[in-house]
Amino acid sequence: MRHRWRLVVAALGLTLLPAGCGSAPARAGGPGAARPRSHSPSPTASPSPSVQARLVRSTALPGGGDGPSGSLRTTGTAAVALTFDDGPSPVWTPKVLALLKRHHLHATFCLIGEQVKEYPKLVARIIAGGHTLCNHSWDHDEFMSQRSTKYIRSELTRTDRAIRKAAPGATVRYYRQPGGNWSKRIVRVSHQLGMAPLGWSVDPSDWKRPPTSSIIANVKSNTGHGSIVLMHDGGGDRSHTYAALRTLLPYLSRRYDLIRL
Ligand SMILES: [Zn+2]
């Protein structure tokens, strides 16, 4: 159960570490003031995607990360990547998939093992939509950096297995650490398991359910060439995120080459 961290935190009287990705509010204990701000490239960058970016999109893959502990913070090209965390959600994932399809766009979905086990058919739907999969740990463990290498490896492997069981033949080339609480060890294990450590550069904190207008304004002002945008299709009520996407998808696709990773 994902509630257990909330309980541990409450019992110890702790404040959670800065969480970049999305902890759902229910399990985040409401911190967030110390969350890292977006580190996106200059929003003043020219809005038109370069031809070169289109040409190299298929090679914009795991390189040396420019984010915390060597994680990937940007796409490495002018293209922008949309990423969705904490699903699959039986309510919101299908809606987000339908919206992406309507705009002929692809994204990357960072899946939680527990959710995959509960909603395996949604994994197949994500793949059928032509999107990229990312491992987001078994139970959204934001304290992974404090665990043993053996534990990290087993949690990532367990999630990977659940994804492959849900969608035989699926390829999972990315791992995203919950909370963005990376460590060198987590990055190393990710690489050893064949997954690039996926971070982000734009974080509208949509998991906290700010007003839709705030999510839109944040993404618009912080996204630039190379941005990896973090949003959520799981972890709670994503109605504000969904509403924001209805504006953001056409807005972003007019200005950038939007890629799945
Ligand atoms: Zn998350």
Side-chain angles (χ1 to χ4, degrees), residues 20-21 35-43 66-68 71-83 85 176 180 182 197-205 218-231 256 261:
C21 146
R35 288 163 77 89
R37 303 308 305 160
S38 300
H39 314 284
S40 59
S42 166
D66 52 353
S71 56
L72 295 169
R73 197 179 67 85
T74 55
T75 62
T77 70
V80 168
L82 296 176
T83 63
D85 283 17
R176 174 172 276 167
W182 294 100
L198 179 61
W200 60 85
S201 56
V202 178
D203 175 13
S205 294
N218 183 299
V219 173
K220 279 185 177 179
S221 63
N222 289 309
T223 300
H225 285 160
S227 292
I228 295 176
V229 182
L230 165 65
M231 295 180 83
Y256 303 101
L261 289 163

Side-chain angles (χ1 to χ4, degrees), residues 161-216:
R161 260 196 227 113
I163 293 172
R164 289 169 197 275
K165 187 178 175 189
T171 308
V172 185
R173 289 185 297 171
Y174 294 91
Y175 172 71
R176 174 172 276 167
Q177 170 55 35
N181 299 325
W182 294 100
S183 70
K184 294 274 186 200
R185 211 147 43 88
I186 296 172
V187 166
R188 194 167 59 242
V189 172
S190 303
H191 280 304
Q192 286 169 352
L193 295 175
M195 297 182 286
L198 179 61
W200 60 85
S201 56
V202 178
D203 175 13
S205 294
D206 63 315
W207 60 275
K208 292 187 205 166
R209 301 193 75 241
T212 297
S213 58
S214 299
I215 299 173
I216 292 171

Side-chain angles (χ1 to χ4, degrees), residues 68-213:
S69 301
S71 56
L72 295 169
R73 197 179 67 85
T74 55
T75 62
T77 70
V80 168
L82 296 176
T83 63
F84 294 97
D85 283 17
D86 296 359
S89 150
V91 177
W92 298 103
T93 302
K95 289 181 191 291
V96 171
L97 288 173
L99 198 57
L100 288 167
K101 187 176 181 182
R102 200 177 310 156
H103 291 278
H104 309 287
L105 294 173
H106 295 102
T108 298
F109 287 80
C110 299
L111 310 177
I112 296 175
E114 285 181 338
Q115 297 289 113
V116 168
K117 188 182 173 190
E118 201 161 340
Y119 308 107
K121 288 182 179 171
L122 289 174
V123 180
R125 281 178 68 175
I126 292 170
I127 293 174
H131 307 286
T132 295
L133 299 182
C134 168
N135 181 324
H136 197 36
S137 86
W138 180 256
D139 56 0
H140 208 272
D141 188 348
E142 297 185 11
F143 297 87
M144 197 76 88
S145 62
Q146 298 170 27
R147 320 234 176 263
S148 69
T149 301
K150 187 179 173 188
Y151 181 90
I152 296 170
R153 183 181 293 275
S154 72
E155 287 295 280
L156 270 56
T157 303
R158 185 183 184 192
T159 305
D160 190 60
R161 260 196 227 113
I163 293 172
R164 289 169 197 275
K165 187 178 175 189
T171 308
V172 185
R173 289 185 297 171
Y174 294 91
Y175 172 71
R176 174 172 276 167
Q177 170 55 35
N181 299 325
W182 294 100
S183 70
K184 294 274 186 200
R185 211 147 43 88
I186 296 172
V187 166
R188 194 167 59 242
V189 172
S190 303
H191 280 304
Q192 286 169 352
L193 295 175
M195 297 182 286
L198 179 61
W200 60 85
S201 56
V202 178
D203 175 13
S205 294
D206 63 315
W207 60 275
K208 292 187 205 166
R209 301 193 75 241
T212 297
S213 58

